[in-house]
Amino acid sequence: MRILVGVFRMVSLLTYSLWVLFVAYTKFQRVDKKEQGRMIKEYNCRILAMAGVKTAYTGSLPKSMLEYGLTEEAPGEIIVSNHISWVDIFSLDSAVASRFVAKAEIANWPIFGKIAQAIGTLFINRSSKRAILQINTDIQEALQRKEVVALFAEGTTTFGNSLLPLKSNFLAPAVKAGAVVQPMVLVYTSEGVPTTKVAFCGDVTLMGSLWNVVTTKDVVATAHFLEPIDTKGLDRHQAGKICEERMREELRRVWGDRFLEHDPNEANALSKAIGHS
């Protein structure tokens, strides 16, 4: 039965995504920022529903951010999230329509990569220092347009029950602009219990991860928005440390004794291996 459900969900998901791809290159390009934000939220909510994923969020956010992903005044805000799966972008955007900073490889994904390009995702080659400098400029410009920018500062995915050290260089634009940094953690549950089944991590392929999502029972993606950080008077390292501490504390609370504490030396070595600190 789960196989039949999974096949139906996958076909529905891919069919609807083709329609969204068409809309992303047509109507989406002709409307203002507020309407674009509403369209992004609607798309993400529907795509998750078709995949069998319900959504929820905790925490208090300004109405303008929740409605269309813009702040009332410049600068905008940066949301820093943990990273578990390709589902993360849809899960976060279902609550707050954001400009995502994503690895360059995603642009080459079939269908989803083209949609990401059309809606203004900021792509980065993390192995290039010049690319990091450019992305920071792009983020700063987006903040000045009152946009909400979202990024995964770990630099890679985990199974959700751990947190790698955050790379604070991505917070430099927020600190320079005096923008608020909004830490948050994503937690996926199945039948009410935190699960790692949704993860796109390790040797799991993209299609394998997609299949796991559409066949897992009663999946709920919850975005836990934590206390925002006023970056005025802080440098990027201080902002990053506060952000990481709040995220780690929330993950410990949610996962309990299933939360994995990384060895600091091992975690820092991994962080350096997958990107610049």
Side-chain angles (χ1 to χ4, degrees), residues 15-225:
T15 302
Y16 181 66
S17 294
L18 288 172
W19 166 249
V20 171
L21 178 61
F22 171 75
V23 173
Y25 279 94
T26 54
K27 179 181 177 181
F28 185 84
Q29 305 300 324
R30 300 194 296 267
V31 298
D32 63 21
K33 288 289 184 181
K34 289 185 177 181
E35 183 59 25
Q36 285 182 347
R38 294 188 184 101
M39 290 175 68
I40 288 172
K41 283 194 64 170
E42 179 184 1
Y43 160 71
N44 285 283
C45 288
R46 287 188 179 183
I47 210 80
L48 288 172
M50 289 180 179
V53 179
K54 297 178 181 178
T55 59
Y57 75 91
T58 65
S60 177
L61 292 177
K63 184 178 179 181
S64 60
M65 286 177 62
L66 289 172
E67 286 187 347
Y68 38 75
L70 296 171
T71 57
E72 293 291 347
E73 299 178 353
E77 291 193 13
I78 286 186
I79 295 177
V80 180
S81 173
N82 59 327
H83 196 14
I84 302 165
S85 172
W86 56 271
V87 190
D88 298 346
I89 294 178
F90 302 107
S91 300
L92 201 162
D93 268 346
S94 68
V96 178
S98 309
R99 290 286 300 277
F100 267 90
V101 178
K103 59 184 181 180
E105 292 88 340
I106 290 178
N108 298 320
W109 285 6
I111 304 178
F112 295 125
K114 295 298 183 183
I115 294 173
Q117 292 180 53
I119 64 175
T121 300
L122 304 173
F123 294 107
I124 178 173
N125 178 0
R126 287 193 173 99
S127 63
S128 169
K129 289 185 178 179
R130 180 175 295 181
I132 292 176
L133 292 175
Q134 180 59 52
I135 205 70
N136 281 351
T137 298
D138 293 340
I139 292 172
Q140 191 168 346
E141 290 175 354
L143 293 174
Q144 293 307 318
R145 294 192 296 267
K146 302 189 293 185
E147 296 176 1
V148 176
V149 178
L151 55 90
F152 304 115
E154 292 169 285
T156 190
T157 54
T158 70
F159 284 98
N161 59 339
S162 63
L163 185 72
L164 294 172
L166 305 185
K167 291 189 282 296
S168 62
N169 53 312
F170 288 121
L171 299 184
V175 171
K176 186 173 182 179
V180 168
V181 171
Q182 175 69 64
M184 63 152 284
V185 294
L186 279 167
V187 177
Y188 295 96
T189 59
S190 174
E191 300 183 280
V193 179
T195 182
T196 61
K197 292 180 181 179
V198 178
F200 179 31
C201 188
D203 58 359
V204 178
T205 64
L206 177 59
M207 290 305 295
S209 174
L210 177 57
W211 183 250
N212 288 341
V213 171
V214 298
T215 57
T216 299
K217 191 174 182 179
D218 296 333
V219 177
V220 178
T222 302
H224 297 259
F225 291 99

